[in-house]
Amino acid sequence: MALLNVLCYPDPRLHKVAKPVGQVDARVKKIVADMAETMYEAPGVGLAATQVDIHERIVVIDVSDEQNELRVFINPEIIWSSPEKKSWREGCLSVPDFYDEVERPAQVKVRALDLDGKEFEIDADGLLAVCLQHEMDHLQGKVFVEYLSMLKRTRVSQKLKKRAKELLGER
Ligand code: NI
């Protein structure tokens, strides 16, 4: 396993649209293992392949308190969203030290492939529903700050660009 480099907003590669996985083979399993290691190390509750510059439809999530319930979603699709919405304070490994409220459907039904290439469906609510929608947005090239006002987005973008420069300067 290996730790992967997480792209930081406003990196343009975060806006690439991921392609479906053709076959769940050893190559894909290695990507999943590396993504899980990277997510746990961060630590984070979810990671989309787009964030590690792999533009394939792969998501890993672990919303458990003990961080011992890894969920893998390959080629995930939202097949139902509740009309009821809910607002959560979201964060993202690609937008360090920034959190803000985003309103999304409170419940979703998702269909995906597991690590054996088998199709499954899951009904999600609470943090899992938020996380699934947030990570699947990444696969479409969308970062959660794009739900916020232009003013907030510009602010966070400037702050992170400055931070990236400072980090480079420290090397
Ligand atoms: Ni994110």
Side-chain angles (χ1 to χ4, degrees), residues 56-167:
E56 298 182 50
R57 296 187 60 83
I58 305 171
V59 163
V60 294
I61 289 177
D62 190 338
V63 292
S64 69
D65 290 337
E66 304 288 327
Q67 291 264 280
N68 59 2
E69 285 170 36
L70 179 67
R71 296 171 190 265
V72 178
F73 299 87
I74 296 165
N75 296 345
E77 315 257 11
I78 293 176
I79 54 175
W80 176 82
S81 308
S82 67
E84 184 210 338
K85 309 250 173 158
K86 195 160 184 185
S87 194
W88 281 77
R89 198 166 148 79
E90 297 188 18
C92 179
L93 295 179
S94 294
V95 192
D97 303 326
F98 180 81
Y99 303 87
D100 212 331
E101 299 273 330
V102 177
E103 192 185 67
R104 301 180 185 271
Q107 293 155 311
V108 287
K109 191 181 190 81
V110 170
R111 181 183 293 153
L113 301 179
D114 65 16
L115 261 187
D116 297 317
K118 275 202 195 118
E119 193 177 280
F120 68 98
E121 286 179 10
I122 184 170
D123 290 300
D125 62 6
L127 180 57
L128 181 59
V130 173
C131 204
L132 271 165
Q133 293 175 83
H134 175 119
E135 302 311 333
M136 286 169 69
D137 273 352
H138 277 301
L139 300 179
Q140 296 299 335
K142 186 164 183 175
V143 181
F144 85 102
V145 294
E146 288 166 63
Y147 287 101
L148 308 177
S149 68
M150 186 59 91
L151 179 69
K152 277 188 183 172
R153 224 188 304 168
T154 307
R155 261 193 216 144
V156 70
S157 171
Q158 283 168 346
K159 198 179 91 179
L160 290 175
K161 276 184 193 161
K162 194 173 157 221
R163 180 188 151 122
K165 265 191 206 154
E166 284 166 1
L167 286 173

